[in-house]
Amino acid sequence: MSGFTSQPDQDFGVRIHEALEDAELRESFHGAMTFLREKRRSQFPDPDALENLRDSGAAIRDRALAKLPDLLEQLEDRCRHNGIQVHWAETSDEANAIITGLIQSVHGQRIVKGKSMATEEIGLNTALEAAGFTCLESDMGEYIVQQAGETPSHIIMPAIHRNKASIARQFADQIPDTPYTEDVDELIGTGRRVLRQAFAHADVGISGVNFAIAETGTLCLVENEGNGRMSTTVPDTHIAVMGIEKVIEKLADLPDLMRLLPRSATGQAITTYINLISGPRRDDECDGPRQVHLVLVDNGRSRIYADRELRATLRCIRCGACMNHCPVYERLGGHAYGTVYPGPIGQVVMPQLFGLDKAGKLTQACSLNGACGEACPVRIPLPDLIRRLRHEGVTDDPASPVRGHGRQRQASEALIWRVWATIHAHPRLYRLVTRLATRSRRLLPPLPRAWTARRARLEPAPRSFHEQMAQRRQTEPRP
């Protein structure tokens, strides 16, 4: 249940039931999500200031997207001027081939990687293994799940589904000369000792990019553990991987985004490290990488960009706030989705990347309560986008811009909605049907057990709402 799949719809129901039956998993996520929501709330004590900051963040991201083609060209030009080599990849396979080729070109053998959702998205570790390389994850959470043969369950906290006892057993079993302990500081120290050795001998460091600044050709990377800085400065070769939507126009845009990102993600006022990478080591410098490469990945983003409404998907700054506030994600955890991006943002991103024929069911795992949209620091209208993708999943419009459109359409459901629309479009028919339903309510077929197992059986009222209101008007005295 802990792996990513290219067919998220397949066995999605099975994964949901497995997650709901796992009491330990539900307890872990409930505690973690509650903690993160409270921490975030404490960082934004002034509601008006928060809304103003969200307005600014949304405006910055919208402006960058409106100028995206020009900003990408400007970013490439400035990066090359700074000595950063830029590579373009239309698909995940192209990106993996470029990165593998770069590692081979410098005869790299030992690779460390900082936390990066873009590399998770393209399946870089699997591609490197296929090419004969071993890539060690250096973020502590990523290291834990990689060692366990799992995949991340949250985009910010990859090992949030694990408790300290299970990690203690894992470290004692898999790291030589490591005694069993549930002391968190000792566990962190053990992981740090292993990773320090890896940094010291690494040939190539791979990282993600939080924001790329077109004005200066600067790559911004935020983190808390220092592994990002070690991965990008100790090895002789640094390869940064980012989706093309991560570009922003100016350095002056960065402060507001940095006020939003860590506070929304982990409830911190600021992260421990903010790395601004503007090129490889200069001749008069004694440390830093000798080569810096930037791999710009499209992987379906241009298709998303082409639709004006769905383009809002690309505002995302990958903070995970939508997940932390989603009641469905809190109960299921990330692995149930079977995708790199779980939760509300995953329900919007993955169907557009994979197609609605392969990931359309993800959009149904949503109660449309709106919490994700209210939490998003850059005002992505997630509930609206989920509704739009649900519509695209059942539409027979050949002009739909989403791959796999119409593949979620079921003839029986379509018939039910046509009948519903007909009844509600004709008042006399509506009154007749509601009258029959209320009078024969005891004869209605039983609801599916999936509903009645944990809920009371629903029955129509003895009289329709219209009948009740008409009766009230007759009995109540006129003013």
Side-chain angles (χ1 to χ4, degrees):
M1 184 176 117
S2 59
F4 298 145
T5 172
S6 60
Q7 300 274 352
D9 279 0
Q10 193 171 11
D11 297 328
F12 185 36
V14 174
R15 296 195 300 273
I16 288 174
H17 282 290
E18 288 177 350
L20 292 176
E21 295 298 324
D22 190 335
E24 184 176 316
L25 180 81
R26 293 182 63 181
E27 183 179 351
S28 294
F29 272 91
H30 174 69
M33 296 300 103
T34 302
F35 175 72
L36 288 170
R37 288 194 296 268
E38 290 176 353
K39 281 196 72 178
R40 179 180 186 268
R41 194 176 300 117
S42 70
Q43 291 295 333
F44 295 112
D46 184 340
D48 292 337
L50 170 59
E51 296 310 311
N52 290 336
L53 196 54
R54 291 178 72 206
D55 286 341
S56 176
I60 290 169
R61 295 299 295 133
D62 273 346
R63 174 160 43 82
L65 291 173
K67 302 178 179 178
L68 185 60
D70 292 336
L71 292 184
L72 286 170
E73 289 185 5
Q74 184 182 3
L75 175 68
E76 180 182 23
D77 180 65
R78 295 309 304 169
C79 283
R80 291 191 191 284
H81 177 78
N82 294 342
I84 299 175
Q85 301 176 53
V86 180
H87 312 266
W88 297 84
E90 184 174 352
T91 66
S92 57
D93 288 342
E94 284 187 17
N96 288 328
I98 290 170
I99 297 167
T100 303
L102 291 173
I103 295 171
Q104 290 169 336
S105 70
V106 296
H107 307 289
Q109 292 295 324
R110 292 154 296 196
I111 306 161
V112 291
K113 181 161 77 69
K115 191 174 181 316
S116 162
M117 294 311 299
T119 58
E120 295 284 353
E121 177 187 320
I122 63 177
L124 178 61
N125 284 1
T126 303
L128 291 179
E129 287 177 14
F133 297 110
T134 299
C135 180
L136 182 68
E137 296 283 355
S138 62
D139 174 88
M140 188 60 68
E142 294 274 3
Y143 172 69
I144 291 168
V145 297
Q146 183 188 39
Q147 190 184 58
E150 298 178 334
T151 50
S153 58
H154 190 286
I155 65 172
I156 300 297
M157 289 150 289
I160 200 169
H161 58 290
R162 300 287 301 278
N163 57 37
K164 60 184 180 182
S166 69
I167 296 170
R169 286 194 297 272
Q170 176 181 317
F171 278 13
D173 291 342
Q174 299 197 29
I175 300 176
D177 303 323
T178 301
Y180 179 92
T181 177
E182 294 185 13
D183 185 283
V184 174
D185 289 338
E186 289 190 33
L187 290 171
I188 294 294
T190 299
R192 184 174 294 159
R193 173 168 50 83
V194 174
L195 294 173
R196 289 278 172 174
Q197 290 296 317
F199 288 130
H201 299 96
D203 306 307
V204 177
I206 299 174
S207 77
V209 177
N210 290 97
F211 303 106
I213 303 158
E215 177 186 45
T216 58
T218 304
L219 311 180
C220 176
L221 177 64
V222 300
E223 40 126 359
N224 278 314
E225 301 173 6
N227 65 300
R229 181 160 297 182
M230 298 287 276
S231 298
T232 59
T233 56
V234 177
D236 275 346
T237 301
H238 170 212
I239 303 173
V241 186
M242 65 171 261
I244 58 173
E245 82 282 12
K246 291 294 188 71
V247 65
I248 58 176
E249 185 176 9
K250 300 177 289 189
L251 187 62
D253 292 335
L254 191 59
D256 275 358
L257 293 175
M258 292 310 304
R259 290 187 185 99
L260 285 166
L261 177 55
R263 295 180 185 189
S264 299
T266 54
Q268 296 172 275
I270 196 69
T271 53
T272 308
Y273 297 92
I274 299 176
N275 305 287
L276 296 175
I277 302 165
S278 294
R281 178 195 306 188
R282 304 292 192 264
D283 292 338
D284 58 346
E285 295 175 338
C286 60
D287 58 10
R290 299 184 186 279
Q291 295 183 28
V292 177
H293 299 266
L294 173 63
V295 181
L296 293 163
V297 181
D298 186 310
N299 201 31
R301 288 164 172 79
S302 292
R303 191 172 53 250
I304 298 173
Y305 183 80
D307 186 281
R308 286 193 174 276
E309 182 182 15
L310 297 175
R311 183 184 298 178
T313 307
L314 302 178
R315 280 189 212 156
C316 183
I317 57 174
R318 302 288 190 263
C319 67
C322 60
M323 301 173 200
N324 303 344
H325 290 73
C326 174
V328 178
Y329 176 86
E330 181 177 324
R331 284 156 180 79
L332 297 181
H335 289 155
Y337 295 84
T339 54
V340 172
Y341 305 109
I345 190 62
Q347 291 168 289
V348 171
V349 171
M350 303 314 296
Q352 296 186 74
L353 295 186
F354 284 147
L356 286 161
D357 52 333
K358 297 176 181 174
K361 289 183 180 177
L362 295 181
T363 63
Q364 302 299 321
C366 173
S367 64
L368 294 177
N369 58 80
C372 54
E374 293 176 4
C376 178
V378 289
R379 296 194 185 282
I380 300 175
L382 287 162
D384 293 340
L385 297 182
I386 290 172
R387 271 194 293 267
R388 165 74 187 280
L389 291 171
R390 285 183 179 181
H391 170 74
E392 298 294 342
V394 298
T395 185
D396 54 4
D397 184 355
S400 170
V402 185
R403 288 196 307 179
H405 64 86
R407 299 295 290 275
Q408 298 295 321
R409 187 181 183 87
Q410 298 180 17
S412 58
E413 184 178 354
L415 176 61
I416 291 172
W417 283 113
R418 273 201 295 273
V419 171
W420 184 92
T422 301
I423 292 172
H424 285 74
H426 299 83
R428 289 185 178 179
L429 180 60
Y430 175 82
R431 287 194 289 271
L432 174 63
V433 171
T434 54
R435 184 178 180 81
L436 290 174
T438 53
R439 300 310 187 272
S440 58
R441 61 197 182 102
R442 303 290 183 189
L443 303 178
L444 291 176
L447 291 170
R449 177 170 169 70
W451 176 269
T452 58
R454 292 181 173 82
R455 303 176 183 87
R457 186 178 188 276
L458 297 178
E459 290 182 353
R463 294 289 182 273
S464 70
F465 179 73
H466 285 178
E467 289 175 314
Q468 293 181 45
M469 292 303 297
Q471 185 178 20
R472 179 180 294 183
R473 282 196 293 269
Q474 291 175 355
T475 56
E476 288 182 350
R478 292 179 179 275

